[in-house]
Amino acid sequence: MKKTLKAIACFVLTGIFLTGCDTKTPVEANYDVIPLPQSITKTDDTGFTLNGDTKISYPKGDEIQKQTAEFLAEYIKLSTGLTLRVTDEAADENIIVLKADYQADKAESYNMNVNSKQIVINGSDAAGTFYGVQTLRKSIPADASQNIVTFPGIDIKDSPRFGYRGMMLDVGRHMFPAEFVKKYIDILALHNINRFHWHITDDQGWRIEIKEYPELTKTGSQRAQTVIGRNSANYDGKPYGGFYTQDEIKEIVDYARKRFITIIPEVDLPGHMLAALATFPNLGCTGGPYKVSETWGIFDDVLCAGNEETYTFLENVFSEVIELFPSQYIHIGGDECPKTRWKECPKCQAKIRQLGLKGNAKHTKEDMLQSYVMSRVEKFLNSKGRRIIGWDEILDGEVAPNATVMSWRGTEGGIAAARMKHDAIMVPTSYLYFDYYQTDDTKDEPLGIGGYVPVEKVYSFDPVPKELTEEESKYIIGTQANLWTEYIQDSKHVEYMVLPRMAALSEIQWVTPEKKDYEKFLPRLAKLMELYKKLGYNYATHITDIAAKITDEPAKGTIHISLFTYDNAPIYYTLDGSEPTEKSLKYENQLEVNSSTQIRAVAIRKGEKSKEYTASFGFNKATFKDVRLQNEPHKNYIYGGAPVLVNAKKGGGSFSDGEWLGFHKDDFVATVDLKEPVDISNVTIGTFISPGSWVFGATEYSIAVSDNDKDYKQVFDEKYPVLDESNPDDRIVDLVAKFPTEKARYVKVTAKVTNPIPDWHAGKGHPSFVFVDEIIIE
């Protein structure tokens, strides 16, 4: 009865009383979005209030702007529940106006002005308007269905730093449904990314329908089975395959176009072509038999560069590719192409002689033959009005005249290309490979290739190297991240690996370096993650964990630890190994340790504990002593150099976490100066094993001691068998040397690298890596 009377009262009452029956809490839009606009100026205007009568207008007859207006209506409905009318009719108030006559120096720029009567988003072009819409969309709280949204008065002027802002997806190793590819494109659009690099062929599968060669998808798209994990000796025994029809591709290309994203297809050549060779064995140097690869890695069998049928095949394939993809660029790969077969192939050697190719101090004549292949394909595509992109290996030899270089093996390829006046796109593995783990605590993570690229590291990258002059820097046209899918079997895993790292990528693509600030970025990222949640995306949440900054003070023998969270949530910790609770010590100031200690800490938000942060510090006779390396670590894995070997912190679950040093080809040989003769009887080092990443264990471990750093006495030596295929998992293996007590000042530690990699591995014949940390002397 009471409910009935209340309903009657609400129905009868008018004005303020009726409004009070359905009160919604006001909430303000926040323009601090990702990527952060270049300029946000607050005005004195009271701002704009969104309601069910608000309209979205576009210029009459402009179908592109109409599409963008409809997108905005969808976005607003998702967050607020309001259904706004899209119209080409003008109005003076309660309207969001889209147009594209903003005068700006850069393409894709926009101006957004908010006042009490209207919101005007004015792009320098249609794409600029679209990015203004994305900013407006992201300014609204993710779930404002129970709120009245007001937009503070502002004037935003925004433009991208780079014209090329890319993200790659590999569908050769594992394929994903066409509907998910569209979802992936939506994720890119949310982050202002305008290039989708689609890797559609590889050794493990040909994923694009070519009508000239229906056998490619009948045979080349199917593999008999797939290796389990990282190239173990075990297989799942299940056929795997699939491809995208040309109709599906056309639909996906159009879907991307409406979101101002250009799809750049990649047909990788002359290596990574086993799927094509399995279909057409005559295109290989040996004639086969070949099979679509069931494992991951680099394979000796590649397209025969001396066979004219190869070029006919490629031209026919690319003739269909360019009909499907209107992109200015076509990616033709060029990476990881062994020359083993070419060196022995009569046709390839005949082609080398015919062309008069010669090697030099840096490159073999077979390298020059690859340059010929790439240049020939480039000329064909140039004749069709297209340009090529190739991986940085295309610099090995003579780079194709008009090629754009995608620098993945570090930034060196991009630097070299820019100095040669070639456009370059930066995609270095150590910053922008999203198949790498995003946390160093990998035990609960879905499988990744290895490595360690957290959000902060992505954010720290500057695509323009300091080594370049201002003029050379103009050739760095952009940057992208890559997602290779050897270990990524489903779309949820794809989303998890790219989110939220794509947000950090978005900032380095759009925002100028002086405006970047990681601590201020984190609260904006937390807000964007609420939108991820609303959209149903599967994303990693590591940024909500406790972060730590650890600094050493070797002269004093101390370590300083600072703990923080993105939202300043209270942190509680223990130093005795016990579980932290709200009754534990509350973190207030930087911690200092000078003896073996274990820190355990949690952040507590609304009574809920965060993931526990744990750090152990083990002080020993080697801690903070001088270390001399006989061989330099590999340039990609040098980090803090020799001092990290004796900083009391053991390397974690990823060899790229900054604590491990990686040595390639050369043995690990380190000499520790203990400053004075002391008794020692035990020397331990940690080694990291990751066969899938070519990281093998040591084959021999030895210790030698000296009083004068000249005359050494070997006190321990032990040999180990070369790693076999029985255990492909990542793991840490401690090498322990125990021997009768010796008094010595200098300790030489040697761990010999596996060289060559054994025949069972995809990297057979090549030298491996050995990763080492920490040296413990007792």
Side-chain angles (χ1 to χ4, degrees):
M1 185 63 182
K2 289 182 178 178
K3 289 182 180 179
T4 303
L5 289 173
K6 182 178 179 181
I8 292 171
C10 286
F11 178 76
V12 172
L13 293 175
T14 59
I16 189 169
F17 300 103
L18 179 58
T19 303
C21 295
D22 188 27
T23 301
K24 290 189 175 182
T25 307
V27 63
E28 275 197 350
N30 184 345
Y31 306 112
D32 286 339
V33 299
I34 293 174
L36 186 67
Q38 304 291 358
S39 169
I40 305 174
T41 304
K42 293 182 179 179
T43 67
D44 294 332
D45 200 284
T46 54
F48 184 87
T49 301
L50 192 70
N51 60 51
D53 293 326
T54 303
K55 298 181 181 65
I56 303 172
S57 77
Y58 63 91
K60 189 180 294 289
D62 192 331
E63 291 299 313
I64 296 175
Q65 293 284 29
K66 179 182 179 183
Q67 178 70 73
T68 299
E70 289 171 349
F71 285 146
L72 179 56
E74 291 174 15
Y75 301 150
I76 289 174
K77 185 172 184 178
L78 174 77
S79 293
T80 69
L82 297 174
T83 300
L84 305 191
R85 187 163 75 90
V86 172
T87 179
D88 60 3
E89 298 173 358
D92 294 328
E93 58 185 30
N94 199 17
I95 194 164
I96 301 172
V97 179
L98 305 186
K99 56 183 185 173
D101 57 11
Y102 176 52
Q103 299 300 307
D105 294 332
K106 282 188 173 183
E108 304 177 297
S109 301
Y110 69 90
N111 171 231
M112 182 162 71
N113 185 274
V114 178
N115 59 48
S116 59
K117 294 185 177 181
Q118 58 184 4
I119 297 174
V120 178
I121 300 174
N122 190 5
S124 61
D125 46 34
T129 308
F130 181 80
Y131 296 123
V133 163
Q134 294 300 323
T135 294
L136 186 69
R137 164 202 194 177
K138 287 176 279 194
S139 74
I140 303 171
D143 188 355
S145 58
Q146 300 304 312
N147 303 106
I148 297 172
V149 181
T150 60
F151 296 85
I154 50 88
D155 187 75
I156 293 176
K157 290 180 172 62
D158 198 12
S159 60
R161 182 185 183 195
F162 294 106
Y164 184 106
R165 304 182 302 281
M167 184 72 214
M168 187 272 268
L169 178 64
D170 163 25
V171 297
R173 278 54 179 263
H174 284 102
M175 184 180 167
F176 309 95
E179 285 306 307
F180 174 73
V181 177
K182 293 178 185 177
K183 183 179 183 181
Y184 194 76
I185 288 166
D186 282 329
I187 295 173
L188 269 56
L190 176 65
H191 294 86
N192 293 23
I193 290 171
N194 65 357
R195 299 290 189 277
F196 171 32
H197 173 182
W198 200 4
H199 185 85
I200 51 178
T201 69
D202 217 296
D203 294 307
Q204 295 79 17
W206 186 280
R207 306 289 178 218
I208 175 174
E209 178 189 16
I210 301 297
K211 294 187 182 296
E212 178 74 16
Y213 301 116
E215 303 94 335
L216 275 173
T217 45
K218 181 179 179 182
T219 300
S221 72
Q222 306 292 322
R223 58 178 181 260
Q225 58 184 353
T226 304
V227 68
I228 296 173
R230 297 193 184 95
N231 279 347
S232 68
N234 302 312
Y235 294 82
D236 63 10
K238 301 174 183 177
Y240 184 93
F243 64 94
Y244 302 97
T245 67
Q246 292 200 1
D247 285 343
E248 285 178 315
I249 289 171
K250 289 174 184 175
E251 189 176 314
I252 290 168
V253 167
D254 189 59
Y255 190 88
R257 178 189 61 79
K258 292 175 180 177
R259 290 152 182 82
F260 299 91
I261 292 171
T262 300
I263 300 181
I264 298 173
E266 180 186 358
V267 176
D268 202 349
L269 66 100
H272 288 287
M273 271 282 177
L274 275 177
L277 294 181
T279 309
F280 301 115
N282 60 300
L283 299 181
C285 291
T286 68
Y290 307 108
K291 65 178 180 179
V292 180
S293 181
E294 301 163 1
T295 60
W296 322 121
I298 302 170
F299 304 98
D300 287 340
D301 288 305
V302 302
L303 291 176
C304 179
N307 185 350
E308 280 301 307
E309 292 179 353
T310 294
Y311 302 100
T312 301
F313 168 77
L314 291 174
E315 289 181 6
N316 288 338
V317 166
F318 281 116
S319 291
E320 295 194 30
V321 167
I322 62 178
E323 288 299 315
L324 294 170
F325 297 94
S327 167
Q328 175 191 18
Y329 289 111
I330 304 294
H331 202 307
I332 64 171
D335 63 315
E336 299 176 333
C337 178
K339 309 303 187 292
T340 307
R341 298 286 185 255
W342 290 1
K343 290 177 181 178
E344 301 169 352
C345 174
K347 289 182 179 179
C348 290
Q349 292 303 311
K351 178 65 76 173
I352 287 171
R353 290 191 296 273
Q354 176 194 337
L355 297 170
L357 301 178
K358 305 290 184 183
N360 55 39
K362 290 185 178 180
H363 305 297
T364 67
K365 60 183 185 294
E366 288 78 21
D367 291 332
M368 298 302 182
L369 182 58
Q370 178 166 342
S371 295
Y372 167 77
V373 174
M374 306 307 281
S375 293
R376 185 161 169 178
V377 173
E378 182 192 36
K379 287 176 184 175
F380 174 77
L381 288 169
N382 287 167
S383 74
K384 303 295 183 180
R386 306 303 178 89
R387 298 178 60 187
I388 70 162
I389 298 176
W391 300 108
D392 58 37
E393 284 94 334
I394 66 174
L395 294 168
D396 297 342
E398 295 179 352
V399 64
N402 302 305
T404 294
V405 175
M406 194 163 269
S407 184
W408 72 279
R409 296 178 296 178
T411 58
E412 292 83 358
I415 292 170
R419 287 175 173 166
M420 296 167 66
K421 294 182 168 40
H422 280 266
D423 287 345
I425 300 161
M426 292 300 199
V427 293
T429 58
S430 54
Y431 290 92
L432 296 174
Y433 267 43
F434 287 0
D435 50 333
Y436 285 21
Y437 287 112
Q438 48 198 316
T439 174
D440 57 356
D441 183 6
T442 61
K443 62 181 182 294
D444 296 321
E445 290 293 295
L447 186 63
I449 196 169
Y452 176 48
V453 179
V455 169
E456 184 173 9
K457 190 167 188 182
V458 177
Y459 193 84
S460 71
F461 180 62
D462 186 348
V464 180
K466 292 181 173 58
E467 296 94 321
L468 295 180
T469 66
E470 184 177 352
E471 181 62 27
E472 291 167 341
S473 297
K474 295 176 183 177
Y475 292 95
I476 307 299
I477 63 171
T479 185
Q480 75 174 37
N482 294 344
L483 185 68
W484 302 102
T485 61
E486 289 94 333
Y487 311 111
I488 300 173
Q489 299 182 26
D490 60 62
S491 56
K492 286 295 184 184
H493 195 173
V494 170
E495 292 175 26
Y496 184 84
M497 298 304 278
V498 301
L499 299 175
R501 288 187 285 192
M502 198 184 291
L505 171 69
S506 174
E507 287 257 316
I508 66 175
Q509 291 174 332
W510 189 277
V511 179
T512 52
E514 68 274 9
K515 293 185 182 296
K516 286 170 56 183
D517 184 317
Y518 185 67
E519 289 189 15
K520 292 179 180 178
F521 167 77
L522 286 176
R524 291 188 286 120
L525 178 54
K527 178 187 165 200
L528 182 59
M529 286 164 62
E530 289 297 316
L531 184 53
Y532 293 167
K533 184 177 180 180
K534 181 73 174 179
L535 289 164
Y537 297 161
N538 185 38
Y539 56 95
T541 59
H542 303 106
I543 69 149
T544 65
D545 300 339
I546 293 172
K549 182 179 180 182
I550 299 172
T551 54
D552 302 332
E553 198 167 355
K556 294 183 179 180
T558 59
I559 298 172
H560 302 280
I561 304 101
S562 299
L563 304 177
F564 59 93
T565 58
Y566 79 93
D567 57 354
N568 295 317
I571 298 171
Y572 300 88
Y573 70 95
T574 65
L575 299 175
D576 59 3
S578 61
E579 181 181 351
T581 68
E582 282 184 289
K583 295 180 180 179
S584 303
L585 295 169
K586 186 176 182 181
Y587 177 81
E588 301 284 358
N589 298 301
Q590 185 183 72
L591 305 178
E592 180 179 293
V593 298
N594 56 16
S595 60
S596 294
T597 305
Q598 183 186 43
I599 298 173
R600 297 179 65 184
V602 292
I604 298 181
R605 301 177 178 91
K606 298 179 181 179
E608 293 188 7
K609 288 185 178 182
S610 68
K611 181 178 179 180
E612 185 178 301
Y613 169 80
T614 303
S616 296
F617 303 92
F619 284 71
N620 61 87
K621 292 179 180 179
T623 302
F624 295 139
K625 299 301 192 295
D626 292 336
V627 180
R628 183 178 72 248
L629 295 174
Q630 179 174 302
N631 302 312
E632 282 294 306
H634 186 277
K635 61 184 178 180
N636 290 346
Y637 303 106
I638 196 167
Y639 302 115
V644 306
L645 297 167
V646 290
N647 63 359
K649 299 186 289 293
K650 284 187 173 184
S654 168
F655 62 78
S656 299
D657 68 1
E659 288 296 327
W660 299 94
L661 296 188
F663 296 80
H664 186 233
K665 302 181 183 178
D666 300 318
D667 296 331
F668 167 76
V669 184
T671 301
V672 182
D673 180 359
L674 299 174
K675 300 302 183 186
E676 61 183 1
V678 296
D679 289 338
I680 60 173
S681 60
N682 188 318
V683 180
T684 300
I685 65 170
T687 62
F688 196 98
I689 295 177
S690 179
S693 301
W694 297 27
V695 179
F696 280 60
T699 58
E700 186 174 351
Y701 178 48
S702 63
I703 306 296
V705 298
S706 172
D707 290 328
N708 57 16
D709 200 23
K710 295 179 181 178
D711 305 309
Y712 278 86
K713 171 186 176 183
Q714 188 173 85
V715 295
F716 180 86
D717 183 73
E718 189 168 62
K719 293 180 173 62
Y720 310 104
V722 173
L723 199 69
D724 62 30
E725 65 267 41
S726 62
N727 185 356
D729 296 336
D730 286 6
R731 57 198 183 276
I732 296 171
V733 175
D734 286 341
L735 305 183
V736 181
K738 293 183 178 181
F739 46 87
T741 300
E742 294 277 349
K743 185 178 287 290
R745 172 177 172 175
Y746 298 94
V747 180
K748 182 179 288 186
V749 184
T750 301
K752 291 194 173 181
V753 69
T754 299
N755 190 6
I757 292 174
D759 288 345
W760 64 265
H761 192 275
K764 65 181 179 180
H766 296 278
S768 73
F769 286 88
V770 63
F771 277 77
V772 178
D773 187 65
E774 158 104 351
I775 299 175
I776 299 170
I777 299 177
E778 294 169 326

